[in-house]
Amino acid sequence: MFRRRTSLSLSAAAAVLVAAPLLTACGGEAHAGAAAVVGGERITMSQVQSKVEAVRAAQRDHEQADVLIKETGQLTRSTLSGLVLRRVLERAAGDAGVTVSRAEIQEARELAARQVGGPERLESLMLRQQAATPDEIDEMLRVQLLVQGLAEKLGANLQTPQGQEELRAELEKASRELDVSVNPRYGKWDDEQVSLAEADRPWIRELTNPGPEQPA
C-alpha cells in the first residue's frame, strides 16, 4: 500500500465547486429537477441551492461579509461545478484504488489548523478562500487527499505543468466515462477541461489546493 502525504499546501498551487429549461440533453423524467446528471446519478437543484444558502449564511456572519459575497457572485455555478468535479475525482480515484480514511482526514484537519493558527482561523480562511463552511472542511480535505493519492498512483508531480496535465488527462477519462450532463441554466460541462464552462474558479486550483492560504 502506498503512503500518502497528509500535509496540505498552504500556498497557491500552479495553474480543482436564473430561469432556464430543465435538462434536455439526456431526456426523460428522471432528469426533471436535476442540476446535473453524473454517471446516471442526479445532483438536484435543491442540493445545489442548499449548499449555496449555507455558504451565504456563513458569509453574512463573517466580518468581511460584503467582500466575500462580492467575490463569489457566481456561487451557484461554481458550487455545481465543484459537486460534479468531486464525483469525477471519486471515479478516477476509485478506478485507481485510492481511498481516504476518516483518520487521515482528521489528521489533515489538525495539521491544517496548527499551520494557520487554530481551528477558528482555519474555518475563517476556508470560508474566505474556498467558500467552504465549517461543515464542509472535512470534505475539502478529503478532496485534497484523494488528489494526492491519485497523483502518487500516476507518478504525477502536481507542482509541474506535466504533472498537472497527467492528472487532467486522468480526470478527463473519468469525466467522459460518467457522461456528465448539466442543466443549460448553469452552462455546459467541458470534459477536456474537467469543468463547468464559465465557472468562476479553475479546476486545478480547486483540486490541488483546497486548503487555506496563509495571507502574506
Side-chain angles (χ1 to χ4, degrees):
M1 178 180 294
F2 65 89
R3 181 176 179 83
R4 278 193 294 272
R5 291 184 299 112
T6 55
S7 61
L8 300 179
S9 171
L10 298 183
S11 60
V16 175
L17 260 148
V18 217
L22 296 178
L23 270 174
T24 57
C26 295
E29 294 182 2
H31 301 103
V37 179
V38 184
E41 297 184 358
R42 300 161 73 247
I43 296 175
T44 67
M45 293 180 185
S46 61
Q47 286 175 315
V48 175
Q49 192 57 36
S50 177
K51 281 186 169 291
V52 170
E53 290 174 355
V55 171
R56 288 296 188 223
Q59 288 176 332
R60 285 192 289 269
D61 288 338
H62 196 275
E63 59 184 8
Q64 295 180 317
D66 291 343
V67 174
L68 296 185
I69 292 172
K70 182 178 180 179
E71 290 179 346
T72 53
Q74 296 294 319
L75 183 58
T76 298
R77 185 173 293 164
S78 62
T79 296
L80 175 59
S81 186
L83 288 171
V84 175
L85 179 56
R86 289 174 200 178
R87 293 195 182 189
V88 171
L89 171 62
E90 287 165 358
R91 172 62 173 265
D95 288 346
V98 176
T99 60
V100 173
S101 70
R102 179 63 196 168
E104 288 175 307
I105 295 173
Q106 185 60 37
E107 181 184 352
R109 183 163 186 159
E110 291 173 357
L111 175 59
R114 288 198 301 271
Q115 290 176 322
V116 301
E120 292 185 0
R121 179 65 171 164
L122 176 63
E123 291 179 3
S124 179
L125 286 173
M126 290 292 278
L127 178 63
R128 190 171 76 219
Q129 298 173 0
Q130 299 296 331
T133 67
D135 289 342
E136 294 178 315
I137 292 177
D138 283 358
E139 176 62 16
M140 296 296 285
L141 299 178
R142 186 178 73 88
V143 166
Q144 172 78 354
L145 294 171
L146 283 175
V147 169
Q148 291 177 350
L150 180 57
E152 289 187 17
K153 277 283 190 176
L154 296 173
N157 180 357
L158 296 182
Q159 301 304 312
T160 68
Q162 180 180 353
Q164 292 169 19
E165 173 57 24
E166 291 172 0
L167 175 63
R168 187 210 61 78
E170 195 70 12
L171 292 173
E172 178 185 358
K173 176 184 175 183
S175 181
R176 293 189 186 281
E177 290 174 350
L178 288 170
D179 190 22
V180 179
S181 294
V182 173
N183 189 308
R185 73 168 61 185
Y186 301 110
K188 183 178 180 180
W189 184 258
D190 187 328
D191 288 313
E192 184 174 351
Q193 295 302 317
V194 203
S195 67
L196 184 60
E198 300 181 8
D200 64 353
R201 287 192 293 172
W203 73 270
I204 192 65
R205 174 184 170 87
E206 178 169 345
L207 280 183
T208 62
N209 189 44
E213 301 166 21
Q214 285 274 32

